Amino acid sequence: MPPRLLIVDDEESVTITMAAILEMDGYSVATALTGQAALEQIEHEVFDLVLTDLRLGDFDGMDVLAATRRKSPDTVGIVLTGYASLESAVTALREGAYDYMRKPDDVEEIRGTV
């Protein structure tokens, strides 16, 4: 069974593009356009990796990662943001994120990190 990923981003075009690329790489990908939709999926399914935008319309991406850790402590979290700052990077890594990446990012860098 391929690794199961959840991509959380309120920009639909980003979500669709990342999902398509990672599906071509053989991953099983679910998507969520809101933090609330992500939390609902996290409650019902275990993911190997959650890739979340830092700033969602209804939630902070760190809230998504915190909910993921509570449900499945072994799930890897990666934070993507278009608003990178040293403070948010340090917070993300202290909260257990595996990586913190700026968007738009190089597709090969995302693929390599995943």
Side-chain angles (χ1 to χ4, degrees):
M1 178 171 222
R4 186 76 170 137
L5 312 181
L6 174 62
I7 298 172
V8 186
D9 198 308
D10 55 0
E11 291 181 57
E12 189 172 11
S13 62
V14 171
T15 305
I16 290 169
T17 302
M18 283 196 299
I21 290 166
L22 294 171
E23 285 172 345
M24 286 190 307
D25 287 348
Y27 297 102
S28 172
V29 181
T31 61
L33 296 175
T34 66
Q36 184 60 45
L39 296 181
E40 290 169 9
Q41 290 189 56
I42 290 163
E43 277 303 309
H44 294 59
E45 188 174 352
V46 174
F47 294 94
D48 297 294
L49 182 139
V50 173
L51 185 65
T52 183
D53 189 7
L54 183 61
R55 291 187 183 178
L56 300 165
D58 60 343
F59 276 86
D60 183 283
M62 296 311 302
D63 295 332
V64 172
L65 290 184
T68 301
R69 274 195 320 281
R70 284 191 300 274
K71 174 80 168 142
S72 176
D74 293 332
T75 298
V76 175
I78 297 175
V79 174
L80 288 174
T81 185
Y83 305 95
S85 72
L86 180 59
E87 181 182 340
S88 64
V90 169
T91 299
L93 296 173
R94 281 186 179 155
E95 292 294 322
Y98 172 77
D99 205 348
Y100 176 94
M101 304 174 77
R102 284 186 24 178
K103 334 184 278 193
D105 212 348
D106 182 291
V107 169
E108 292 305 316
E109 186 175 354
I110 291 173
R111 291 168 91 183
T113 300
V114 169

